[in-house]
């Protein structure tokens, strides 16, 4: 009887482990999705900033290529700023760890 109970406990633990693995995979997938949505939001905000700056006080003829170049440059700056913040965070974690 003790062996049967032990087998049941082991089986329950295995089921819990599988559930945790499934949840962990889902959390990882959701984190990736959130990260992608943040990048999309960042791009949209960047485009809005550049367009707003260009439209404010600008002459009626706005060169679309110039605006596109400014959007791309601002996106690159924002991307580099985000990478810098991530690296600083990683460095803080490493320094705390050691």
């Amino acid at each position: 009887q003790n062996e049967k109970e032990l087998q049941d406990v082991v089986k329950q633990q295995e089921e819990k482990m599988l559930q945790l693995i499934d949840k962990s995979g889902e959390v990882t997938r959701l984190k990736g999705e959130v990260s992608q949505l943040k990048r999309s939001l960042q791009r949209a905000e960047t485009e809005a900033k550049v367009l707003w700056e260009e439209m404010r006080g600008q002459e009626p003829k706005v060169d679309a290529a110039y605006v596109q170049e400014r959007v791309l440059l601002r996106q690159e700056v924002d991307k580099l700023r985000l990478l810098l913040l991530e690296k600083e965070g990683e460095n803080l974690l490493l320094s705390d760890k050691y």
Side-chain angles (χ1 to χ4, degrees):
Q1 185 178 354
N2 287 340
E3 188 176 331
K4 172 81 168 126
E5 289 175 7
L6 186 58
Q7 286 176 347
D8 288 344
V9 169
V10 168
K11 186 176 179 181
Q12 289 174 356
Q13 290 298 322
E14 287 176 353
E15 289 174 2
K16 286 180 183 179
M17 294 273 294
L18 289 175
Q19 288 175 352
L20 287 174
I21 290 170
D22 286 347
K23 287 180 183 177
S24 174
E26 185 176 348
V27 166
T28 302
R29 184 186 61 78
L30 289 173
K31 282 182 180 179
E33 192 174 323
V34 165
S35 178
Q36 184 179 1
L37 289 171
K38 283 181 180 178
R39 285 192 297 273
S40 294
L41 176 62
Q42 182 96 22
R43 278 194 298 274
E45 287 174 343
T46 299
E47 289 178 19
K49 284 180 198 174
V50 170
L51 290 173
W52 178 253
E53 288 173 3
E54 287 303 313
M55 298 310 292
R56 243 185 328 166
Q58 191 60 261
E59 296 178 16
K61 289 187 178 183
V62 176
D63 184 14
Y66 174 73
V67 172
Q68 182 64 31
E69 182 180 352
R70 292 262 335 257
V71 167
L72 293 174
L73 288 172
R74 179 69 66 99
Q75 285 176 344
E76 192 65 26
V77 167
D78 288 344
K79 186 189 329 177
L80 291 171
R81 186 176 293 125
L82 184 62
L83 283 172
L84 175 65
L85 290 174
E86 287 176 3
K87 290 299 178 189
E88 287 176 348
E90 289 174 10
N91 286 345
L92 282 175
L93 288 175
L94 285 174
S95 65
D96 287 347
K97 184 177 180 180
Y98 294 107

